[in-house]
Amino acid sequence: MTLSASRRALLTSMLSLGLVACGGGRDKDTTPTPTPTPTPPTVTLTSMAVSPATVTLVPGGTQTFAVVGTYSNGTTATLTSGITWSAATGAAAT
């Protein structure tokens, strides 16, 4: 099969356009690599403060305590609120 010069030019132009449209014929991945999400540092509970620190109750009495936790990164948070602790006997509470 013999192609005329004009047909050869047309065919070459079409092939070139096709290669440009598909990235030059190279197999390259254009998908961006996602940035990994950094792992947050581990924060641990380092201490707890119970207040009030001392309580005197009459038999059958109740007391509400608050507990504030301190974490390894220096932050604090209320761990409990509105909880009533009780003991059945005086010996159990000392």
Side-chain angles (χ1 to χ4, degrees):
M1 177 166 126
T2 306
L3 293 174
S4 67
S6 63
R7 286 186 184 221
R8 225 176 308 137
L10 177 63
L11 182 59
T12 302
S13 297
M14 290 174 64
L15 286 174
S16 296
L17 181 61
L19 287 175
V20 169
C22 71
R26 294 182 307 252
D27 183 23
K28 66 179 185 178
D29 185 9
T30 58
T31 305
T33 304
T35 303
T37 303
T39 303
T42 302
V43 178
T44 58
L45 181 65
T46 57
S47 66
M48 294 185 296
V50 179
S51 63
T54 58
V55 176
T56 302
L57 295 174
V58 296
T62 61
Q63 174 67 50
T64 301
F65 294 91
V67 180
V68 175
T70 301
Y71 294 90
S72 57
N73 64 357
T75 60
T76 60
T78 301
L79 302 178
T80 60
S81 61
I83 295 176
T84 302
W85 300 351
S86 62
T89 66
T94 56

